[in-house]
């Protein structure tokens, strides 16, 4: 038997009713003066849960003498936690809870509501009509059914980081409609304290989908080695910190493994046959992002990490690597820009050049022992040429432009292709003459880098979805696919990827292909794609519609060949080798095996990617600076 005996609630009820009508025995002695809503209760729950129930009692008469109230369940279907609260002078609500100890099955009981002048447990002096009966049925489903109402996107989480550094990861929880309507609160806990759980742990998306963004905890100085913990995903009707009333299945357990590795590994570096310099955006003049080598993820180790290169922001859409040096630009302070050369062997800054106070400096390109970069912003618009070995300035040639940001110039032999023009344009700079050979006409837009195969220079503009090919010898328009639109500036453009099958691939909301022989658009996908495509091994690689999968597609038709499992974060950059695809996001970089389509390696930093001729993977981020990873 379970009942609630509340003298305070009873006194409140008695005094309120007495004040309303002046006492006496008015009303019907059969008990119809007190009614309940609902008149019968029915609820479904799961093993281990306790569900809140409310009954409203409404009176049509009053009593001058005090009395007590109890709700008695002879079968133990409800708990003893009963609270009585006034709604009006003649109405009260009783808050009940079903028992969390009920096993799977069906339960029926009659809740006995007693109003007594003496103790409700004895009730020798009941009020007229007492006791009243309120039927209650409870259907209890199994704990397995309760746990199935929430699905975590990953079975476990494994991250690698380094002493004093954090690693970020994310996962999702999908709640079904029933659990989402009952749950009240959801939260993530780490009893071992290996992670940092921010107050804003999640964002709710559509269809009751929650995303948890987490960072590992390094302030507690985890030593080098492997550490394990279990993250608890709690769903509760009350405060998740105490969770007295958990949903069945709560907490859902997500095993966590954190591996702390040595931060520096300066192994001897050797050139890899078939690999050239990472000369421009996506590595080469075709922007394929492909390196003709295979790598073993088991051999990967961080070589070094250079912090504090990007304190004041800048343009970090690409970097360049050649001759054992990585080249990048950064703001030295809020006005001045620097070109920086970092030693691949040690991570030390070999030299840096102050470019002065400029509006915008765009990423560098390399070739011919030179570093090429452009600056933009009216009077700040120049082509700059420096010597790779020393940083000595060789040329500073005036160009024209308004306020755009571009990607890196494109180097092909001794020629350098760059955006140039106040209302748009593309120019070819000759390293042999130190001047521009021609100025071609293309629309003005942001963020792009021309592609070239030596015969033509290619661009794609977003306002009109136009693909343009300029003759590489003269700069005249050879052909255009689409309707050119040359009257607006500062549109977004998509870099062009050239394949070895005479195609150009573009990601511009959708993935599309242009036939360079017939001068037609050969296909466009009906589903969206994001980021920048890569091409290698006769295959197109692109981030899928939600940015959380890597897709491999056939160049001839764009048809899907395979898709990776979810990567856990939105990808932004892809590099492809013969056996791996390196996919970067805002929080990490992952290697996807092209044979199994599974993630086989993760590094706790995302950003711009590059691979050097000696097999070093660079990850360049405005937030976390520059990291170098030995791939051999």
């Amino acid at each position: 038997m379970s009942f609630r005996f509340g003298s305070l609630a009873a006194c409140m009820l008695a005094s309120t009713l007495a004040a309303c009508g002046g006492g006496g025995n008015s009303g019907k002695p059969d008990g119809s003066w007190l009614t309940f809503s609902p008149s019968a209760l029915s609820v479904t729950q799961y093993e281990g849960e306790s569900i809140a129930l409310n009954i409203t009692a409404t009176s049509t008469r009053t009593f001058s003498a005090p009395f007590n109230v109890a709700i008695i369940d002879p079968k133990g279907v409800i708990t003893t936690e009963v609270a009585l609260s006034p709604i009006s002078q003649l109405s009260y609500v009783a808050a009940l809870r079903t028992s969390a100890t009920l096993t799977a099955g069906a339960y029926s009981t009659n809740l006995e509501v007693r109003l007594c002048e003496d103790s409700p447990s004895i009730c020798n002096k009941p009020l007229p009509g007492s006791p009243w009966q309120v039927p209650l049925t409870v259907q209890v489903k199994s704990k397995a059914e309760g746990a199935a109402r929430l699905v975590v996107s990953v079975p476990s989480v494994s991250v690698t980081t380094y002493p004093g550094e954090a690693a970020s990861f994310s996962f999702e929880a999908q709640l079904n409609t029933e659990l989402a309507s009952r749950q009240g609160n959801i939260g993530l806990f780490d009893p071992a304290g290996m992670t940092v759980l921010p107050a804003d742990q999640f964002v709710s998306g559509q269809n009751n989908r929650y995303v948890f963004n987490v960072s590992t905890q390094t302030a507690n100085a985890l030593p080098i080695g492997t550490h394990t913990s279990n993250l608890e995903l709690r769903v509760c009707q009350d405060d998740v910190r105490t969770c007295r009333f958990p949903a069945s299945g709560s907490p859902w357990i997500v095993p966590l493994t954190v591996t702390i590795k040595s931060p520096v590994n300066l192994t001897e570096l050797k050139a890899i046959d078939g690999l050239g310099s990472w000369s421009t955006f996506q590595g080469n003049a075709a922007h394929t992002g492909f390196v003709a080598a295979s790598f073993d993820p088991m051999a990967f180790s961080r070589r070094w990490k250079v912090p504090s290169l990007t304190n004041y922001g800048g343009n970090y859409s690409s970097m360049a690597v050649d001759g054992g040096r990585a080249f990048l630009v950064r703001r030295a302070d809020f006005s001045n820009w620097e070109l920086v050369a970092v030693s691949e062997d040690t991570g030390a800054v070999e030299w840096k050049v102050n470019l002065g106070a400029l509006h915008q400096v765009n990423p560098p390109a390399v070739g011919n022992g030179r570093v090429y970069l452009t600056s933009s912003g009216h009077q700040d618009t120049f082509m700059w040429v420096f010597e790779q070995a020393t940083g000595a300035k060789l040329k500073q040639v005036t160009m024209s432009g308004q306020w755009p940001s571009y990607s890196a110039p494109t180097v092909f032999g001794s020629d350098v292709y760059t955006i140039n023009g106040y209302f748009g344009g593309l120019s070819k700079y000759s390293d042999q003459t130190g001047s521009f050979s021609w100025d071609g006409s293309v629309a003005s837009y942001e963020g792009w880098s021309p592609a070239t195969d030596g015969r033509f220079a290619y661009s794609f503009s977003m306002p009109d979805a136009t693909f343009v090919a300029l003759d590489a010898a003269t700069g005249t328009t050879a052909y255009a696919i689409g309707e050119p639109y040359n009257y607006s500036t500062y549109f977004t453009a998509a870099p062009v990827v050239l394949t070895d099958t005479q195609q150009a691939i573009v990601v511009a909301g959708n993935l599309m292909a242009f036939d360079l022989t017939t001068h037609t658009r050969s296909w466009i996908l009906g589903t969206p794609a994001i980021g920048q495509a890569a091409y290698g091994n006769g295959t197109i690689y692109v981030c899928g519609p939600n940015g959380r999968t890597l897709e491999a597609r056939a160049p001839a038709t764009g048809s899907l060949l395979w898709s990776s499992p979810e990567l856990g974060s939105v990808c932004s950059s892809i590099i492809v080798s013969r056996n791996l695809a390196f996919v970067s996001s805002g929080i990490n970089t992952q290697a996807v095996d092209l044979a199994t389509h599974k993630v086989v390696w993760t590094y706790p930093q995302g950003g711009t990617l590059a691979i050097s001729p000696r097999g070093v993977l660079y990850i360049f981020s405005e937030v976390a600076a520059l990291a170098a990873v030995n791939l051999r």
Side-chain angles (χ1 to χ4, degrees), residues 477-600:
T477 300
Y479 61 89
I481 305 171
E483 296 295 330
Y485 185 73
N486 297 319
Y487 303 102
S488 293
T489 60
Y490 302 120
F491 288 115
T492 300
V496 175
V497 178
L498 303 178
T499 76
D500 54 8
T501 57
Q502 284 298 291
Q503 283 183 294
I505 307 299
V506 175
V507 177
N510 298 87
L511 181 68
M512 64 188 77
F514 297 89
D515 191 311
L516 304 184
T517 303
T518 62
H519 303 167
T520 59
R521 190 175 70 186
S522 49
W523 53 261
I524 182 171
L525 293 186
T527 56
I530 67 171
Q532 171 65 28
Y535 176 81
N537 309 309
T539 304
I540 301 167
Y541 301 92
V542 67
C543 298
N546 63 2
R548 294 180 180 274
T549 58
L550 175 68
E551 295 183 347
R553 293 187 173 270
T557 62
S559 59
L560 182 66
L561 301 176
W562 56 263
S563 179
S564 74
E566 289 218 0
L567 302 174
S569 53
V570 178
C571 61
S572 57
S573 181
I574 304 171
I575 290 180
V576 180
S577 71
R578 294 203 184 278
N579 67 318
L580 299 173
F582 295 91
V583 184
S584 182
S585 70
I587 64 174
N588 60 29
T589 300
Q590 301 177 81
V592 177
D593 189 293
L594 301 184
T596 66
H597 315 153
K598 296 180 180 180
V599 174
V600 292

Side-chain angles (χ1 to χ4, degrees), residues 268-275 612-615 632:
E268 182 182 359
L269 297 172
K270 296 181 180 179
I272 299 175
D273 291 342
L275 295 194
S612 79
R614 298 192 292 175
R632 290 196 173 183

Side-chain angles (χ1 to χ4, degrees), residues 275-280 283-284 320-323 366-368 388 611-613:
L275 295 194
S277 63
W278 193 270
S279 68
T280 185
N284 50 55
V321 185
D322 194 17
V366 293
N368 312 302
Q388 286 186 17
I611 293 180
S612 79

Side-chain angles (χ1 to χ4, degrees), residues 14 41 65 76 239 251 269 315 395 430 573:
L41 295 168
D239 191 322
L269 297 172
N315 186 337
K395 286 284 182 179
S430 171
S573 181

Side-chain angles (χ1 to χ4, degrees), residues 196-411:
V196 178
L197 302 174
D200 183 14
Q201 291 186 21
F202 61 86
V203 293
S204 178
Q206 294 181 343
N207 302 319
N208 304 316
R209 191 179 183 91
Y210 292 83
V211 180
F212 291 83
N213 299 306
V214 187
S215 294
T216 59
Q217 172 66 273
T218 56
N220 58 1
L222 291 174
I224 291 175
T226 299
H227 310 269
T228 59
S229 175
N230 283 324
L231 300 176
E232 294 184 1
L233 181 56
R234 298 181 183 178
V235 179
C236 314
Q237 295 178 49
D238 56 340
D239 191 322
V240 293
R241 290 170 294 184
T242 54
C243 203
R244 293 180 59 240
F245 304 111
S248 183
S250 180
W252 283 262
I253 301 300
V254 181
L256 170 66
T257 301
V258 178
T259 301
I260 309 295
K261 289 190 172 183
S262 173
V264 177
N265 189 6
L266 302 181
T267 60
E268 182 182 359
L269 297 172
K270 296 181 180 179
I272 299 175
D273 291 342
L275 295 194
S277 63
W278 193 270
S279 68
T280 185
F281 175 77
Q282 285 294 93
N284 50 55
H287 300 333
T288 62
F290 176 68
V291 290
S294 295
F295 303 104
D296 178 7
M298 297 300 294
F300 294 178
S301 65
R302 185 167 83 180
R303 184 170 189 83
W304 45 256
K305 182 176 180 180
V306 179
S308 305
L309 280 173
T310 56
N311 288 341
Y312 298 94
N315 186 337
Y316 309 106
S317 60
S318 64
M319 58 183 300
V321 185
D322 194 17
R325 301 178 185 87
F327 301 94
L328 50 96
V329 295
R330 69 148 191 165
R331 285 188 184 272
D333 51 40
F334 289 107
S335 299
N336 292 282
W337 290 78
E338 288 182 338
L339 171 64
V340 181
V342 179
S343 168
E344 184 166 88
D345 290 306
T346 66
V349 174
E350 288 196 0
W351 54 259
K352 54 187 177 181
V353 175
N354 190 337
L355 303 174
L358 300 167
H359 168 71
Q360 176 68 52
V361 177
N362 303 304
V366 293
N368 312 302
R370 311 275 203 263
V371 182
Y372 309 93
L373 59 86
T374 61
S375 57
S376 51
H378 290 276
Q379 71 276 6
D380 292 341
T381 308
F382 301 100
M383 163 72 80
W384 304 73
V385 183
F386 299 89
E387 188 178 76
Q388 286 186 17
T390 64
K393 185 171 75 174
L394 304 177
K395 286 284 182 179
Q396 182 179 343
V397 183
T398 299
M399 303 195 309
S400 63
Q402 297 187 50
W403 307 107
S405 289
Y406 302 134
S407 188
T410 300
V411 181

